[in-house]
Amino acid sequence: MKSKTSWKKVRKVFNDIHLWMGIAAGLILFVVCLTGTIYTFRTEIEEFIERDKFFVEYLKTVKN
């Protein structure tokens, strides 16, 4: 009986380690994916934020 009790403790420790390492790995993976997505759409984001830098307004000139 004593070995089952100690095995449950070891199993719980491994389960906790697995849980927290999975959460940490998930957060790292989320940050990597988020920054990769932002980098992929970098030009579109820059064009949206700084419109006057990338687009010129067309002015129609009137001849007399």
Side-chain angles (χ1 to χ4, degrees):
M1 283 290 187
K2 191 172 186 181
S3 64
K4 285 188 177 183
T5 306
S6 64
W7 174 246
K8 284 183 180 182
K9 289 178 184 178
V10 170
R11 187 175 168 130
K12 174 146 178 38
V13 168
F14 280 131
N15 190 23
D16 289 345
I17 291 171
H18 183 262
L19 172 72
W20 289 108
M21 289 185 78
I23 290 172
L27 288 173
I28 291 170
L29 189 61
F30 175 75
V31 169
V32 168
C33 291
L34 181 65
T35 56
T37 302
I38 291 171
Y39 182 73
T40 300
F41 294 104
R42 180 179 54 91
T43 54
E44 288 83 359
I45 293 170
E46 284 179 356
E47 288 175 2
F48 179 75
I49 292 174
E50 303 177 47
R51 286 186 186 265
D52 18 329
K53 187 177 180 182
F54 291 98
F55 296 102
V56 177
E57 207 175 299
Y58 178 71
L59 298 176
K60 188 174 180 181
T61 58
V62 179
K63 290 185 176 180
N64 289 335

